[in-house]
């Protein structure tokens, strides 16, 4: 029986995001770690490795795929109601102790995380998406930056077929990887997990590359939404939330900020679950920082009006939601307020007909 590492080695291709350092040593630029990798070694993510001075990267498989409402990613200002065909691979450059997708993201790092790859071609994935009437192809579940070459291969097919494309990412990027994906990615969600570098180091990363990614994406014309999972006692102090939301607002007050509820998961079982009151307090801090679009997630029906979109100028209700479900949609064609005509930032459809689904459904593959 081959090990997971041996199986995964079959599903690789020559990477593009690296350079030679000296001899057979190379440096990978797919994420903010910028790992120097000697011949025969793997990067921090465990899924990109050096073979004879050539970077091998994940290719030709998924760990799973699912059709999600776009609201689940979450994108609230991009094609509301659309179906997002979502695929993930294996591995991550971080090791968050509360990861909800740890079985796939911590592959090759945590021996308990075992999820075999399912062979797939980019054409096949796009075909499946079209068959389901999806409008968006999303690289998600594990960290998409570390599998950027494969995502770009899939997104080239997806865009040729008229689909939008998205990354759901921790944002630990580099200028090189962002330039590489730029022509192929329309939407980008960054998890801004904290505003304290010491906290980021506990998760296996650094704050600075994430901030750089957040500054770069809007300049590149990629639509950005930010999520902060509010973990009591970890990232929810008044000062940290003030700094975090003032930073986002300084990049642009139009960036939607989703502050979402934590529940005990994986190795993080000490903090209490986030309460509706915690989310309301965080949202108020965000409002004081000047953010115009703040959403509270993971506690449907318990957070007042924080699931809805309102016009920041006249207060008109534009999109009413309950969890992932759209109850009412009142934006004018192309995304403006029907009362005062203010343009609402986002990537809106010309017309909204109906939401495709408000719950995910899993796609079936044959095992490799
Ligand atoms: S993706 Fe990141 S962690 Fe993986 S090898 Fe490249 S730089 Fe290192």
């Amino acid at each position: 029986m081959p090990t997971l590492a041996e199986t995964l080695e079959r599903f690789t291709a020559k990477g593009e995001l690296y350079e030679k350092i000296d001899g057979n040593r190379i440096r990978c630029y797919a994420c903010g770690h910028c790992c120097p990798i000697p011949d025969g070694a793997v990067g921090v993510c465990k899924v990109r490795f050096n073979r004879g001075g050539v970077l091998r990267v994940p290719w030709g498989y998924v760990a799973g795929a699912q059709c999600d409402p776009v609201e689940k990613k979450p994108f609230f200002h991009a094609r509301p109601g659309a179906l997002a065909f979502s695929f993930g691979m294996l591995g991550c450059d971080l090791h968050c102790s509360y990861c909800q997708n740890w079985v796939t993201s911590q592959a090759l790092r945590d021996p308990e995380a075992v999820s075999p790859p399912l062979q797939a071609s980019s054409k096949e994935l796009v075909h499946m998406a079209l068959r389901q009437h999806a409008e968006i192809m999303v690289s998600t579940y594990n960290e998409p930056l570390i599998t950027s070459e494969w995502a770009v291969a899939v997104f080239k097919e997806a865009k040729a077929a008229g689909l939008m494309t998205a990354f759901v990412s921790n944002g630990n990027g580099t200028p090189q990887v962002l330039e590489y994906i730029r022509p192929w990615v329309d939407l980008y969600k960054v998890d801004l997990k904290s505003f304290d570098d010491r906290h980021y180091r506990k998760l296996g990363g650094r704050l600075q590359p994430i901030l750089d990614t957040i500054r770069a994406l809007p300049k590149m014309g990629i639509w950005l939404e930010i999520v902060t999972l509010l973990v009591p006692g970890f990232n929810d102090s008044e000062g940290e939330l003030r700094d975090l939301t003032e930073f986002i607002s300084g990049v642009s007050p139009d960036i939607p900020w989703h502050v979402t509820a934590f529940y005990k998961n994986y190795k993080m079982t000490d903090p209490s679950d986030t309460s509706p009151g915690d989310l309301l307090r965080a949202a108020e801090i965000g409002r004081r920082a000047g953010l115009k679009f703040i959403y509270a997630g993971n506690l449907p029906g318990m957070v007042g009006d924080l699931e809805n979109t309102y016009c920041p100028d006249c207060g008109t209700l534009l999109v009413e939601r309950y969890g992932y479900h759209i109850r009412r949609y009142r934006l004018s064609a192309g995304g403006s307020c029907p009362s005062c005509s203010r343009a609402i930032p986002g990537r809106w459809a010309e017309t909204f007909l109906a939401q495709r689904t408000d719950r995910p459904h899993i796609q079936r593959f044959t095992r490799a």
Side-chain angles (χ1 to χ4, degrees):
M1 211 31 198
T3 63
L4 180 58
E6 286 162 352
T7 304
L8 282 181
E9 199 163 332
R10 286 199 288 125
F11 291 98
T12 58
K14 181 176 182 293
E16 297 187 7
L17 287 158
Y18 75 105
E19 66 178 16
K20 289 238 180 202
I21 307 177
D22 49 52
N24 271 351
R25 248 176 19 119
I26 57 175
R27 186 178 301 280
C28 173
Y29 289 109
C31 87
H33 290 312
C34 297
C35 297
I37 315 178
D39 193 0
V42 297
V44 170
C45 60
K46 313 280 188 205
V47 294
R48 297 167 74 92
F49 54 88
N50 181 343
R51 278 290 172 278
V54 172
L55 183 69
R56 303 292 301 179
V57 303
W59 192 268
Y61 79 89
V62 295
Q66 182 169 299
C67 267
D68 287 334
V70 68
E71 286 73 20
K72 181 171 180 286
K73 303 323 314 170
F75 289 109
F76 276 14
H77 287 225
R79 300 280 179 98
L83 203 58
F85 186 94
S86 307
F87 64 91
M89 300 184 85
L90 294 169
C92 189
D93 49 320
L94 303 185
H95 48 79
C96 306
S97 52
Y98 51 78
C99 183
Q100 293 171 11
N101 297 318
W102 67 271
V103 173
T104 53
S105 74
Q106 298 308 304
L108 304 179
R109 185 177 288 128
D110 181 337
E112 301 280 307
V114 178
S115 173
L118 307 163
Q119 189 166 5
S121 70
S122 50
K123 278 195 180 0
E124 201 179 343
L125 291 174
V126 171
H127 188 65
M128 289 173 88
L130 294 174
R131 228 178 27 225
Q132 305 284 334
H133 304 287
E135 291 174 57
I136 309 171
M137 177 68 81
V138 189
S139 183
T140 177
Y141 307 132
N142 76 317
E143 174 49 47
L145 287 168
I146 68 169
T147 51
S148 283
E149 288 93 341
W150 171 244
V152 163
V154 176
F155 287 180
K156 283 179 178 171
E157 296 278 350
K159 286 183 98 54
L163 299 175
M164 291 182 95
T165 58
F167 262 25
V168 171
S169 162
N170 61 31
N172 188 26
T174 62
Q176 292 88 339
V177 72
L178 296 182
E179 273 306 321
Y180 179 77
I181 64 168
R182 175 186 197 159
W184 310 107
V185 176
D186 298 305
L187 317 172
Y188 203 116
K189 188 214 84 173
V190 170
D191 255 326
L192 181 54
K193 297 168 192 284
S194 168
F195 208 72
D196 185 328
D197 190 59
R198 286 167 309 170
H199 293 164
Y200 257 103
R201 285 179 192 263
K202 284 188 190 156
L203 309 177
R206 292 179 297 123
L207 176 60
Q208 193 57 50
I210 287 98
L211 302 187
D212 292 343
T213 297
I214 289 172
R215 286 194 192 97
L217 289 168
K219 289 185 194 150
M220 293 178 155
I222 296 174
W223 176 251
L224 168 66
E225 302 200 18
I226 294 177
V227 173
T228 300
L229 183 75
L230 197 68
V231 184
F234 177 67
N235 62 1
D236 68 338
S237 76
E238 178 93 13
E240 184 165 346
L241 288 172
R242 188 191 57 235
D243 292 348
L244 184 149
T245 51
E246 285 180 355
F247 166 76
I248 300 173
S249 190
V251 176
S252 167
D254 283 344
I255 297 172
W257 182 51
H258 303 253
V259 58
T260 60
F262 159 87
Y263 56 89
K264 294 179 185 35
N265 202 11
Y266 192 31
K267 295 178 180 167
M268 196 180 257
T269 51
D270 281 344
S272 51
D273 291 352
T274 312
S275 70
D278 296 332
L279 294 185
L280 297 181
R281 181 178 66 85
E284 183 49 37
I285 294 169
R287 213 169 269 136
R288 286 203 298 270
L291 292 174
K292 293 188 179 137
F293 302 99
I294 300 174
Y295 302 105
N298 289 353
L299 293 174
M302 289 185 254
V303 288
D305 57 8
L306 285 168
E307 295 184 86
N308 304 331
T309 304
Y310 294 89
C311 175
D313 283 358
C314 72
T316 295
L317 173 65
L318 302 173
V319 185
E320 184 182 349
R321 304 180 186 85
Y322 177 90
Y324 308 140
H325 177 61
I326 295 181
R327 286 178 157 165
R328 263 196 294 174
Y329 184 93
R330 302 189 55 224
L331 276 161
S332 300
S336 55
C337 173
S339 303
C340 70
S341 303
R342 182 198 199 274
I344 306 301
R347 299 289 185 271
W348 312 99
E350 269 308 301
T351 48
F352 174 81
L353 297 174
Q355 185 171 28
R356 285 240 162 238
T357 179
D358 60 5
R359 62 204 60 193
H361 48 274
I362 292 171
Q363 304 299 297
R364 306 222 171 275
F365 285 81
T366 45
R367 292 237 167 252

